[in-house]
Amino acid sequence: MGPSKFLTFSNPFDSFRLCPLVLRIKMAITKNAIISFFMLVTVSLFVGCVGTTHKIEGWAPGVDYYTWVTSRHFQVGDSLVFEYNKDFHDVTEVASPLAFEFCDLSSTIARYKTGYDVVNLTRPGRYYFVCGAPGHCQAGQRFDILVTSPQVVEKSPSSFSPSPSAPLHSAASSSLFSRLGLIFLFLVLLPLFLV
């Protein structure tokens, strides 16, 4: 018979000399797996720290924005996503309650026209959104929201009530503080597994 392709031992105790090497390899693999797991969890938690995304799919005249607004809580760090037909609508942010009430576009803060616009809520306070197409704001295509600081939890009704229509959607995520707490927990526990 020729030489064996497998490792053979003449002394049964020779196999024990390889045990420390095998154990070190297994421990290194386990350690790398644990580090990779914690890094993946931490990155996924950081990615989700942006707040709640409120999706407005029915940006059109005649939609019941009052019910939609009053059923949600808006905080700094949240965002609004407007989906609409850009050939017929836009999203215009106006500066004041009077401009909002009278559909006056002379005090425009921003105008969005892509048909898929993301508006980041970066400050606490009231935001006013209208459609700048002729007659759309007057027909009820508008809403205002109160944005609070992340630690404040209160619901505030909007200052108007347009006619009812199709429902709007919101994709909610966990609060910023609970995610930061989980990140902290993982970063504290990670060194315990590396010992």
Side-chain angles (χ1 to χ4, degrees):
M1 259 181 139
S4 173
K5 293 182 183 179
F6 301 103
L7 194 59
T8 58
F9 301 102
S10 59
N11 181 346
F13 295 104
D14 286 342
S15 63
F16 289 113
R17 284 187 231 155
L18 293 177
C19 282
L21 176 64
V22 172
L23 287 175
R24 276 190 254 145
I25 292 171
K26 284 183 176 180
M27 284 176 33
I29 291 171
T30 303
K31 187 176 179 180
N32 287 338
I34 290 171
I35 291 170
S36 298
F37 171 75
F38 278 109
M39 288 177 63
L40 181 66
V41 169
T42 303
V43 167
S44 68
L45 289 172
F46 270 119
V47 168
C49 284
V50 293
T52 302
T53 300
H54 304 277
K55 194 169 187 180
I56 301 126
E57 293 176 346
W59 187 237
V63 174
D64 183 9
Y65 297 110
Y66 178 79
T67 300
W68 183 79
V69 167
T70 56
S71 69
R72 284 158 180 74
H73 175 72
F74 302 94
Q75 300 185 119
V76 172
D78 289 357
S79 59
L80 303 176
V81 176
F82 292 85
E83 281 189 63
Y84 58 92
N85 185 332
K86 67 180 182 174
D87 295 330
F88 300 105
H89 307 287
D90 70 12
V91 178
T92 303
E93 183 181 352
V94 294
S96 71
L98 286 175
F100 173 77
E101 192 64 37
F102 294 105
C103 299
D104 178 10
L105 302 179
S106 65
S107 67
T108 296
I109 293 174
R111 180 169 276 159
Y112 306 93
K113 302 177 184 181
T114 67
Y116 186 89
D117 299 308
V118 178
V119 178
N120 295 313
L121 306 175
T122 58
R123 61 170 173 76
R126 189 113 2 222
Y127 288 71
Y128 304 94
F129 298 98
V130 302
C131 180
H136 289 205
C137 177
Q138 292 84 349
Q141 190 175 352
R142 60 184 175 162
F143 66 84
D144 66 312
I145 59 172
L146 178 62
V147 176
T148 61
S149 296
Q151 65 272 21
V152 177
V153 178
E154 68 177 59
K155 288 194 175 186
S156 175
S158 182
S159 62
F160 75 100
S161 172
S163 62
S165 186
L168 303 174
H169 303 283
S170 174
S173 66
S174 297
S175 74
L176 173 67
F177 294 114
S178 64
R179 288 186 182 239
L180 289 176
L182 287 173
I183 291 168
F184 178 74
L185 178 68
F186 281 116
L187 292 177
V188 167
L189 291 177
L190 180 60
L192 297 176
F193 288 102
L194 299 179
V195 177

